[in-house]
Amino acid sequence: MINFILTYAVQTVIVISLLSIFYGLFLTWQILKMPRGDQKMNSIADAIAEGATAYLTRQYKVVSLIGVVIALLLYFIFGLTTTLGFLMGAVFSAIAGVVGMNVAVRSNIRTAQAAKKGLNEAFSLAFSGGSVTGFMVAGLALLAVAGFYTFLAAFSKNSPPNLQPMIALGFGSSLISVFARLGGGIYTKSADVGTDMVGKIEKGIPEDDPRNPGVIADLVGDNVGDDAGMAADLFETYVVTAVAAMILGRLSFPNTQTVIVYPLLIGAISILASLLGAKFVRLSGQQIMMALYQGLTATALFSLVGFYLVTKWLFPHGIYAQKLISGNNLFYTSVIGIVLTYGMVIITEYFTSKKYPPVKKIAQASTTGHGTNIIAGLANSMKSTLSPILLISIAILVAYHWAGLYGVAMAAMSMLSLTGIVISIDAFGPITDNAGGIIEMTGHPEKVRRVTDALDAVGNTTKAVTKAYAIASAGLAALVLFASYTQELGRGLKTVADNFSLSDPTVLVGLFIGGALPYIFAALAMESVGKASMAIANEVRRQFKEIKGILTGQKKPEYGRAVDIVTKAAIKEMIMPTLITIAAPILVGFLLGSRALGGLLVGSIITGLFVAISMTTGGAAWDNAKKYIEEGNFGGKGSFSHQAAVTGDTVGDPYKDTAGPAINPMIKVLNIVALLIAPFLG
């Protein structure tokens, strides 16, 4: 009877995931019916779409070659089923990124056109465009996990089936994610920094000025980095968290099958809640952020009601292990995930929004020069790590107290279940950024630009908030993966502690190596942006020098050259950091042993969280400090303080959009590879 009920539950999950995907397609159909604007606007939008498509095509060609090699290795080592899981994770992750980018480049021009009518029309269209990405990512991620689990169950003689191949599903999605996050981040910030260095600083022309040869590459970057990259990132985090929770449930409670299906039902409930919550995103006056938070709050409340009902249904008498874990305790862990999401939103907005002291202090520091702006920004980035870390630590302790390691896993799953509405809020950002660029390049009246500027300013904060959400969820996901790794190694041992002790020098060596990896990874990412931005800056300078009449508007820049240069640079630079991430756990595991590898995983999680939070929050604060000055504070545009703020923003760009966010998939790749090779190390 219980097997029949669980099978029915998984089938329901698959239906709900398909509903999410179809809703995304329905929104796409609605968006495509909206007007596109005049011919000049269309020519710019088409150039952005062409550049974004060209970049993703090249990126996935390179990734496909690497993926085929890894798939062949998995086939000879683990067999066909594991290989299929890897390929399914990789393909679904790629689809999530491609869909997100394609919808964004079709929504930007329609948002620009809607901005002519007013703020409300532009806001509604941009949010609909973002919602396509959000619901497609959530639906595809849940479908991948539930679908592959159903496949394993159908061809397995055991009930429940062996979940080991599902690790490869997470590995496939992680591989695409780290490439998409890193490559897209290198692209977007190389184009942004190189374009701004010459255009804004050397030539004194505005941002998104059509005379700048790098402006199309810059606008393309918003889509491949902030949209396709974020979509692949959170798709991967969702899949990895669900898989880790299912595996940990199986290892912790081998006689209770419901713990395997429970994470999937949590995800399905939140998709339904997100569909309802999105209806509460309504703009009242100029309160754009409040409108977005209304949707998030409604989704969270609907989700909690659903969590409570499904927990009571699946676990009326709790889970029996060494001691009883009540259904109420499991529900409380899901509440922790929701509270942690809200906490990260509040903390990040405080450190990055123009309304609060941290950003205003950076702006004020800009009045005395470039150096003081950098010092203030660095100090803010460091201070911004304490509150999130304390919040995450409290969440881990309370969840563990209520339901052990499985409770921590369910807190992470509860948090990730909000992916649909969170990405909807995030993907809204690059759409409005592009819309503002199109309006600026086509010379529309100032009142239209004010509409897109208002949306863009909020979009900058929502992107920072989503990155913080992704980092916190990645930290919990990595911790759950590490717990699964220790459980796997702990089979046959008296306690897991027999594996890891701080008095063991191999564990300490692993901690040191793991702690260094996020720094090396971030350094390589920052260097990549530096190299590529120099190439784009030199190209922009060349065109200004050789093509007479660009600055006077008599000649049109060669936008395609700049797009091609930054595309080649980003593809080239993304490979080495990714290969290091895959190779590190394999080398440490087989050369130094499972204890050293465990230390590496913990070290990477700890330093990775600090580096990622400080970089993403600090970079967003630098950006908004510049915008705060541009609004007329501390001298306004063109002032000495504005020049200093532009320098800070230039430093902050690769911080917040390249190195920081790419650490999320990096620490999960380390953990998923370790879990994959754990049977060979035990």
Side-chain angles (χ1 to χ4, degrees), residues 329-632:
N329 282 11
L330 279 179
F331 170 69
Y332 296 152
T333 62
S334 67
V335 176
I336 291 171
I338 303 295
V339 172
L340 180 56
T341 299
Y342 264 89
M344 293 301 296
V345 168
I346 292 168
I347 291 168
T348 306
E349 186 176 1
Y350 174 76
F351 281 102
T352 60
S353 175
K354 296 177 292 183
K355 297 184 294 184
Y356 300 109
V359 168
K360 292 180 179 179
K361 287 180 180 178
I362 297 173
Q364 186 177 24
S366 304
T367 59
T368 53
H370 301 253
T372 47
N373 169 281
I374 298 298
I375 292 169
L378 287 174
N380 182 65
S381 71
M382 294 176 188
K383 285 196 295 185
S384 69
T385 60
L386 179 61
S387 300
I389 292 298
L390 290 176
L391 186 65
I392 293 170
S393 300
I394 293 169
I396 290 170
L397 290 174
V398 176
Y400 185 84
H401 171 74
W402 274 332
L405 290 173
Y406 188 69
V408 177
M410 292 319 304
M413 191 62 210
S414 168
M415 189 176 188
L416 261 300
S417 70
L418 298 177
T419 292
I421 192 69
V422 171
I423 294 185
S424 299
I425 293 171
D426 172 78
F428 154 93
I431 292 171
T432 59
D433 195 346
N434 269 204
I438 293 170
I439 291 296
E440 178 72 26
M441 293 182 70
T442 50
H444 279 78
E446 182 64 26
K447 67 175 184 178
V448 182
R449 180 72 207 217
R450 280 199 297 269
V451 170
T452 56
D453 279 349
L455 294 171
D456 184 28
V458 171
N460 192 49
T461 300
T462 62
K463 286 186 285 187
V465 165
T466 308
K467 283 168 187 146
Y469 165 84
I471 291 164
S473 59
L476 285 183
L479 185 65
V480 174
L481 285 169
F482 175 72
S484 300
Y485 171 75
T486 59
Q487 291 284 331
E488 183 70 36
L489 291 178
R491 292 183 182 187
L493 297 176
K494 293 179 181 178
T495 64
V496 175
D498 290 341
N499 269 311
F500 305 102
S501 171
L502 291 179
S503 63
D504 186 336
T506 59
V507 174
L508 290 175
V509 169
L511 282 168
F512 284 135
I513 295 172
L517 285 175
Y519 285 97
I520 294 297
F521 187 86
L524 291 173
M526 294 282 285
E527 281 185 349
S528 297
V529 171
K531 293 175 186 175
S533 61
M534 284 191 288
I536 194 75
N538 289 333
E539 173 60 22
V540 173
R541 289 190 187 110
R542 182 196 68 79
Q543 291 196 34
F544 277 132
K545 181 179 179 181
E546 296 180 5
I547 304 176
K548 305 299 181 183
I550 288 182
L551 284 173
T552 59
Q554 295 173 319
K555 291 287 184 70
K556 186 178 179 181
E558 296 174 353
Y559 298 123
R561 290 289 301 275
V563 171
D564 188 59
I565 287 171
V566 75
T567 297
K568 290 178 179 176
I571 298 297
K572 176 184 175 184
E573 297 292 339
M574 74 179 184
I575 296 174
M576 184 55 67
T578 305
L579 294 181
I580 289 173
T581 304
I582 296 171
I586 296 173
L587 292 174
V588 170
F590 286 106
L591 293 178
L592 299 178
S594 61
R595 294 179 178 85
L597 180 53
L600 178 145
L601 301 181
V602 174
S604 68
I605 294 170
I606 293 172
T607 61
L609 281 175
F610 280 99
V611 173
I613 291 171
S614 65
M615 283 187 159
T616 53
T617 307
W622 262 314
D623 193 348
N624 276 338
K626 180 199 69 175
K627 286 182 168 62
Y628 184 70
I629 291 173
E630 288 174 345
E631 291 175 354

Side-chain angles (χ1 to χ4, degrees), residues 22-42:
F22 286 131
Y23 181 68
L25 295 174
F26 170 72
L27 287 177
T28 303
W29 175 70
Q30 283 193 319
I31 291 167
L32 293 177
K33 291 193 302 180
M34 302 302 290
R36 282 177 57 98
D38 56 39
Q39 185 176 354
K40 194 173 181 181
M41 292 170 67
N42 273 272

Side-chain angles (χ1 to χ4, degrees), residues 103-397:
V103 172
V105 298
R106 283 160 179 77
S107 300
N108 54 14
I109 186 170
R110 292 168 172 85
T111 301
Q113 178 67 15
K116 297 177 185 179
K117 297 180 180 179
L119 182 64
N120 192 60
E121 289 81 357
F123 171 79
S124 297
L125 210 156
F127 181 73
S128 294
S131 296
V132 174
T133 306
F135 286 105
M136 290 294 287
V137 168
L140 284 167
L142 191 60
L143 180 63
V145 179
F148 193 57
Y149 175 76
T150 302
F151 169 78
L152 293 178
F155 292 95
S156 175
K157 297 178 182 178
N158 302 318
S159 181
N162 177 23
L163 299 182
Q164 192 72 16
M166 295 196 73
I167 300 171
L169 180 76
F171 182 39
S173 63
S174 295
L175 181 72
I176 295 296
S177 174
V178 74
F179 275 118
R181 250 306 180 201
L182 186 59
I186 293 170
Y187 184 107
T188 183
K189 288 306 107 179
S190 301
D192 193 358
V193 171
T195 301
D196 284 353
M197 278 196 304
V198 181
K200 291 167 86 173
I201 297 176
E202 295 180 14
K203 298 298 181 181
I205 59 178
E207 189 171 3
D208 298 329
D209 193 297
R211 295 171 293 176
N212 194 321
V215 68
I216 294 295
D218 186 10
L219 293 172
V220 168
D222 294 328
N223 297 290
V224 300
D226 290 327
D227 208 308
M230 176 58 78
D233 185 355
L234 281 175
F235 173 92
E236 174 255 356
T237 305
Y238 193 116
V239 169
V240 166
T241 303
V243 168
M246 293 168 74
I247 291 173
L248 189 60
R250 172 72 185 276
L251 293 172
S252 301
F253 310 104
N255 299 319
T256 309
Q257 295 184 43
T258 48
V259 295
I260 299 174
V261 177
Y262 185 52
L264 300 178
L265 288 171
I266 290 293
I269 287 167
S270 281
I271 284 179
L272 295 177
S274 297
L275 290 169
L276 294 173
K279 303 301 180 185
F280 286 81
V281 179
R282 299 190 189 98
L283 189 61
S284 177
Q286 302 289 317
Q287 300 297 315
I288 302 171
M289 204 72 191
M290 184 60 67
L292 297 172
Y293 284 163
Q294 284 172 192
L296 180 61
T297 301
T299 300
L301 293 175
F302 288 133
S303 295
L304 288 174
V305 172
F307 294 165
Y308 180 78
L309 294 175
V310 78
T311 304
K312 285 296 185 182
W313 173 61
L314 276 182
F315 304 102
H317 306 295
I319 304 176
Y320 287 89
Q322 288 80 13
K323 62 177 182 178
L324 173 67
I325 297 175
S326 72
N328 283 339
N329 282 11
L330 279 179
F331 170 69
Y332 296 152
T333 62
S334 67
V335 176
I336 291 171
I338 303 295
V339 172
L340 180 56
T341 299
Y342 264 89
M344 293 301 296
V345 168
I346 292 168
I347 291 168
T348 306
E349 186 176 1
Y350 174 76
F351 281 102
T352 60
S353 175
K354 296 177 292 183
K355 297 184 294 184
Y356 300 109
V359 168
K360 292 180 179 179
K361 287 180 180 178
I362 297 173
Q364 186 177 24
S366 304
T367 59
T368 53
H370 301 253
T372 47
N373 169 281
I374 298 298
I375 292 169
L378 287 174
N380 182 65
S381 71
M382 294 176 188
K383 285 196 295 185
S384 69
T385 60
L386 179 61
S387 300
I389 292 298
L390 290 176
L391 186 65
I392 293 170
S393 300
I394 293 169
I396 290 170
L397 290 174

